[in-house]
Amino acid sequence: MNTMTDSKHLAVTGRQKMTPSEAFVETLVANGVRDVFGIVGSAYMDALDLFPLAGIRFISVAHEQGGGHMADGYARVSGRHGVCIAQNGPGVTNFVTSTAAAYWAHSPVVVVTPETGSGTIGLGGFQETEQLPIFSKITKYQAHVNNRARMAELTARAFDRALLDLGPTQLNIPRDYFYGDIECEIPQPMAIDRGAGSERSLDAAAELLANAAFPVILCGGGVVMADGQAEAIALAELLQAPVANSYLHNDSFPAAHPLWCGPLGYQGSKAAMKLLAKADVVLALGTRLGPFGTLPQYGIEYWPKQAKIIQVDADASMLGLVKPVSVGICGDAKAAAQALTARLAGKALKCVANRDARLADVKAEKTAWESELDGWTHEKDAWSVAVATGSAHMHPRQMLRELERAKPADAMVSTDIGNICSVSNSYLRFDRPRSMFAAMSFGNCGYAFPTIIGAKVAAPQRPAIAYVGDGAWGMSFGEIQTCVRENIPVTAVVFNNGQWGAEKKNHVDFYANRFVGVNLDHQPSWAAVARAMGAEGVTIDKVGDVGPALRAACEAQKAGKTTILEMMVTRELGDPFRRDALSLPVRHLAKYQSTAARRG
Ligand SMILES: Cc1ncc(C[n+]2csc(CCOP(=O)(O)OP(=O)(O)O)c2C)c(N)n1
Ligand SMILES: [Mg+2]
């Protein structure tokens, strides 16, 4: 780096005269911000004008929601802040969905929301809406710049709190407050150190683990966020305990490790579920034990109801929230794993005696699950068999297996919400943390593509792949413009099954195939659309072509090319999302009787 670049990235020091725009931008610089996602707007022109000289790249996106997801992906892969900014009013309301998604992904995204001018607020002028209430339940902290002299202080706090509470924060700035003269000092970012937890809780947890006959570790997103994978491995190896990934955190423990059993939850690993069912002590490391991620699957009631649970979470309010726990440790997953390993290192461990039997169990369950997956080439329910019979298209599961095999070792994969994306959970394995970016608990269609674009900006050397259903693609393909314009090469794998499949599955299972609004007829060729937009587009309908196409697309990223791989798949559908939350239809009114579930 030359000195010019270096000085750009250093914030000014000492109390001095500046404009609020300068204070805002310098606080971004102090926080190491190099990239900001958004759409240009008059509300923050004065600050935007300073970005190039501050060494900040403004990445101009197609839709603010996409910009918000990009900031999320950027934060998730880097562990640093993702930042997005938009025009007051409609630009800012376009951030609502992406902020809610970042909230449930625990991403330190700073959402900068310039607001209508302080001199006219309340008069119903142009692009005016109350911007704080809208975000109040989907942010960890909201800073409102109520005085231009506080610009740096409040900007800095929004950045600190995003990392401290691991979630999005909002920085709301009346647009006239960018202008004027102030005197201030740019605050330095706070150093955040969470610690392992209390001595008492760690001692109690070590005691339980030392006396466990069949300990199982459940590695959650907290392990990834704390950069604690090495510590989790050391603890698992000491205990020789099987390790499951929590739902949609398949990158929390390396798949190549002999103790890894795969993910729990929807379309997860039966091996992980069967081994967890045998546990007498579960160490839930860095996971809130989210309700959706611990529901029974494949008809297996795997949660070990008699087991003692030790839960480690950095957020005290998550302890014991979903499942009662024997020991709750409010601590950082990395530090807690380290502290537990240190406590157990000198102890006699009950689980050592039966370790060979347990390891044999792990191996047997994993082998059984792999061969089940190998044989599970298509869905076997009557509807799926009927729609797939005679189809020229690929079975989704076979295609997903091929993608798994062809995925480069250090690839990052984002996944959307949909039936095929959900089934992909069985096939997505990672050896490196910060590699899987699923839509998490907010579950919005349209998440994966912009998120992988943001991830690629933060980690340009890593292959970036988004898995997206064709319905969700219709919501998000506009961001191809961002890839092309801003030269951010990624690969999107679009599953073209001609339907909003995940919801159609509910029609099949509960509503006697009365399809309303689930068929995506008259779709364009998504490969052709991609080409028209300046990306590469490839249509694939043979399983044998899937792997080579993915490898070529990842390779093309090195040459700056974005590729859309349009996978032509049958309309078959895997197990539904929400069997737990749907009921067969009951009808009381005569005019709706034909839709009532038949009894008997
Ligand atoms: C923004 C948003 N709108 C609607 C839904 C409800 N929803 C969940 S899955 C799904 C269908 C997804 O279809 P597609 O992307 O084509 O994937 P497929 O299920 O066909 O694999 C819908 C509409 C949602 N989760 N998010
Ligand atoms: Mg679809």
Side-chain angles (χ1 to χ4, degrees), residues 418-420 468-472 495-502 518 520 523 569 573:
N419 192 270
I420 299 175
V468 193
D470 50 356
F495 307 134
N496 187 339
N497 60 3
Q499 58 193 1
W500 293 104
V518 288
L520 294 168
Q523 288 199 91
V569 288
L573 291 164

Side-chain angles (χ1 to χ4, degrees), residues 28-349:
L28 264 54
V29 172
N31 278 277
V33 175
R34 302 284 171 93
D35 302 282
V36 172
F37 301 91
I39 291 184
V40 69
S42 58
Y44 61 98
M45 282 271 146
D46 197 57
L48 182 67
D49 186 45
L50 307 179
F51 279 18
L53 288 178
I56 297 173
R57 176 181 178 194
F58 180 72
I59 296 171
S60 167
V61 304
H63 188 289
E64 287 86 355
Q65 181 186 332
H69 288 320
M70 289 176 210
D72 185 353
Y74 186 96
R76 290 180 73 178
V77 74
S78 67
R80 303 194 312 271
H81 297 100
V83 185
C84 54
I85 191 166
Q87 175 71 351
N88 58 282
V92 167
T93 53
N94 277 352
F95 278 149
V96 172
T97 298
S98 55
T99 306
Y103 183 87
W104 287 106
H106 311 288
S107 297
V109 170
V110 178
V111 185
V112 185
T113 62
E115 189 178 72
T116 196
S118 65
T120 55
I121 193 160
L123 302 182
F126 190 51
Q127 298 176 327
E128 178 174 343
T129 187
E130 278 192 56
Q131 296 184 172
L132 289 167
I134 293 174
F135 291 87
S136 63
K137 301 290 184 193
I138 48 175
T139 48
K140 296 284 185 181
Y141 173 73
Q142 297 179 289
H144 174 69
V145 178
N146 65 333
N147 181 324
R148 43 172 67 78
R150 298 185 67 191
M151 181 70 96
E153 174 206 338
L154 290 163
T155 302
R157 191 152 305 121
F159 275 82
D160 285 342
R161 290 291 296 270
L163 275 185
L164 196 59
D165 295 340
L166 276 181
T169 60
Q170 181 184 9
L171 175 63
N172 199 53
I173 310 171
R175 49 186 294 169
D176 50 315
Y177 285 5
F178 282 102
Y179 302 96
D181 296 331
I182 60 172
E183 198 176 285
C184 71
E185 183 166 351
I186 306 299
Q188 281 306 301
M190 241 174 73
I192 294 163
D193 191 3
R194 289 194 174 84
S198 75
E199 297 288 319
R200 188 202 57 78
S201 60
L202 288 164
D203 286 346
E207 193 59 32
L208 279 181
L209 287 168
N211 291 308
F214 203 107
V216 174
I217 299 178
L218 178 52
C219 251
V223 173
V224 177
M225 289 168 226
D227 293 316
Q229 199 177 77
E231 290 71 12
I233 294 171
L235 180 55
E237 288 178 353
L238 180 68
L239 294 166
Q240 291 291 304
V243 182
N245 308 112
S246 73
Y247 182 53
L248 299 180
H249 288 294
N250 301 14
D251 56 351
S252 62
F253 199 83
H257 196 286
L259 290 168
W260 172 83
C261 311
L264 285 189
Y266 182 39
Q267 298 289 357
S269 152
K270 283 190 186 172
M273 294 171 201
K274 288 184 177 163
L275 289 157
L276 183 75
K278 296 183 179 172
D280 61 343
V281 176
V282 177
L283 171 62
L285 189 58
T287 166
R288 66 189 174 94
L289 298 171
F292 189 56
T294 51
L295 282 172
Q297 302 295 329
Y298 310 110
I300 312 174
E301 283 271 1
Y302 58 82
W303 193 262
K305 295 211 175 64
Q306 306 310 317
K308 300 247 187 306
I309 314 289
I310 302 162
Q311 187 188 8
V312 179
D313 202 295
D315 179 350
S317 63
M318 293 301 129
L319 297 174
L321 178 67
V322 180
K323 304 244 178 248
V325 296
S326 302
V327 180
I329 300 174
C330 177
D332 172 82
K334 173 186 178 130
Q338 221 163 17
L340 288 172
T341 303
R343 275 170 173 72
L344 291 169
K347 283 200 188 205
L349 304 177

Side-chain angles (χ1 to χ4, degrees), residues 452-474:
I452 207 67
I453 297 172
K456 182 73 176 181
V457 174
Q461 305 311 325
R462 298 182 64 187
I465 305 166
Y467 282 8
V468 193
D470 50 356
W473 185 246

Side-chain angles (χ1 to χ4, degrees), residues 65 97 396 416-423 442-447 468-475 494-506 517-518 520 523 569-573 577:
Q65 181 186 332
T97 298
D416 220 285
I417 290 293
N419 192 270
I420 299 175
C421 279
S422 300
V423 174
F442 195 56
N444 64 299
C445 290
Y447 180 85
V468 193
D470 50 356
W473 185 246
M475 290 183 185
V494 178
F495 307 134
N496 187 339
N497 60 3
Q499 58 193 1
W500 293 104
E503 300 299 356
K504 188 178 207 171
K505 179 67 176 157
N506 295 324
V518 288
L520 294 168
Q523 288 199 91
V569 288
T570 73
R571 289 190 149 181
E572 67 199 86
L573 291 164
F577 265 121

Side-chain angles (χ1 to χ4, degrees), residues 71 358 378 395 419:
R358 192 167 53 254
H378 61 88
H395 291 302
N419 192 270

